[in-house]
Amino acid sequence: MGVPAFSDIAKAANDLLNKDFYHLSAGTIEVKSNTPNNVAFKVTGKSTHDKATSGTIEGKYSDKPNGLTLTQTWNTANTLETKVEMADNIAKGLKAEGIFSFLPATQAYGTKFNLHFQQSNFNGRAFFDLLKGPTASIDAIVGRDGFLAGASAGYDVAKAKITGYSAAIGYHAPTYSAAITATDNLSVFAASYYHKVNSQVEAGSKATWNSKSGNAVGLEVAAKYRLDPVSFVKAKINDRGVAAVAYNVLLREGVTLGVGASFDTQKLDQATHKVGTSFTFES
């Protein structure tokens, strides 16, 4: 089991609590296709509960033998983004990324450069925004026998000062994981736990305390149950009584349907509930 990136130290619990709950958008559609010459296309469209729509089109070319990936995206906010990735070219485990964005309407543009370096017991990353600041963000995690420890820091070159820092510790095993993170200059603390009970059942929870806003601790718990090889259900609830449920099913090869809803159990007589659907087509 490799060492995760700093932001992924609690990934298993975060995915269980946040992914595949479809109520956040009224409707989502995603179409994916692949060509024989290693080009993948993806079109995504979303409709919010306020009836606003947005969309993104993406094309990705992969040259795996040479470790090169080129991704071009364009969205309905009229933002063009080009991402160039080079992996294992300079050294084993090292990936370099260049991200270039352009807004035709305002002629604004951005340039970012990122480095990822991963070994069996180490995972480090550096993110540089070359035009804003410039700024740098660096994080790293070391691991041994499932135990993980890491930290991150941000730095503004123009102002010559540290803009933020975080720390985390965790433990990863094949069927369960736990993590404690301290973010926002060590002022927001979160403890998460994930457990794959068996091949059908997964459970997880997360507690969060913001030391700047009082003594209240936020709590979320979630569970996932695989009904059969092509479908599963998920449910979660937090300390404020807001619950969400979701159902995901592979209708046929390449077609997936997701349906979800959220309910405020303290206000069942009010119109605070949300329902959303998602369709994914792959070829």
Side-chain angles (χ1 to χ4, degrees), residues 55-125:
T56 302
I57 182 170
E58 175 187 289
K60 178 184 288 187
Y61 170 73
S62 300
D63 183 0
K64 293 183 179 180
N66 294 311
L68 173 66
T69 303
L70 175 64
T71 306
Q72 179 67 59
T73 61
W74 188 23
N75 61 30
T76 49
N78 201 17
T79 301
L80 291 163
E81 183 178 277
T82 302
K83 182 177 182 181
V84 181
E85 303 172 64
M86 297 186 68
D88 300 325
N89 297 83
I90 302 172
K92 186 68 175 177
L94 177 64
K95 181 174 74 170
E97 298 175 342
I99 304 173
F100 312 96
S101 60
F102 178 62
L103 284 74
T106 62
Q107 302 295 304
Y109 56 90
T111 303
K112 297 179 180 180
F113 179 69
N114 306 327
L115 291 172
H116 303 250
F117 184 63
Q118 185 172 12
Q119 297 292 303
S120 58
N121 295 319
F122 175 82
N123 195 323
R125 305 180 302 175

Side-chain angles (χ1 to χ4, degrees), residues 73-278:
T73 61
W74 188 23
N75 61 30
T76 49
N78 201 17
T79 301
L80 291 163
E81 183 178 277
T82 302
K83 182 177 182 181
V84 181
E85 303 172 64
M86 297 186 68
D88 300 325
N89 297 83
I90 302 172
K92 186 68 175 177
L94 177 64
K95 181 174 74 170
E97 298 175 342
I99 304 173
F100 312 96
S101 60
F102 178 62
L103 284 74
T106 62
Q107 302 295 304
Y109 56 90
T111 303
K112 297 179 180 180
F113 179 69
N114 306 327
L115 291 172
H116 303 250
F117 184 63
Q118 185 172 12
Q119 297 292 303
S120 58
N121 295 319
F122 175 82
N123 195 323
R125 305 180 302 175
F127 305 93
F128 305 94
D129 192 324
L130 303 180
L131 299 182
K132 293 182 180 179
T135 61
S137 178
I138 300 173
D139 62 53
I141 279 193
V142 293
R144 184 177 179 87
D145 299 326
F147 291 95
L148 306 168
S152 73
Y155 184 74
D156 189 313
V157 177
K159 297 179 180 179
K161 72 173 185 178
I162 295 175
T163 56
Y165 48 88
S166 304
I169 57 173
Y171 180 77
H172 282 196
T175 59
Y176 63 92
S177 62
I180 298 175
T181 61
T183 57
D184 194 13
N185 299 336
L186 308 185
S187 64
V188 179
F189 302 87
S192 60
Y193 177 72
Y194 166 83
H195 186 193
K196 186 173 183 179
V197 181
N198 53 45
S199 60
Q200 292 179 293
V201 180
E202 299 173 48
S205 63
K206 184 176 183 178
T208 305
W209 174 51
N210 188 338
S211 62
K212 295 180 179 179
S213 60
N215 295 320
V217 176
L219 180 64
E220 261 189 309
V221 294
K224 177 180 177 179
Y225 180 73
R226 183 160 289 282
L227 300 169
D228 52 51
V230 298
S231 65
F232 63 81
V233 292
K234 295 184 70 174
K236 69 175 181 178
I237 190 169
N238 61 27
D239 61 291
R240 300 180 303 278
V242 179
V245 294
Y247 173 68
N248 178 288
V249 60
L250 181 66
L251 298 175
R252 53 174 295 180
E253 185 177 357
V255 182
T256 303
L257 167 67
V259 182
S262 68
F263 312 90
D264 190 333
T265 60
Q266 307 299 311
K267 303 175 182 178
L268 290 176
D269 58 335
Q270 300 181 25
T272 58
H273 321 306
K274 296 179 180 179
V275 178
T277 58
S278 171

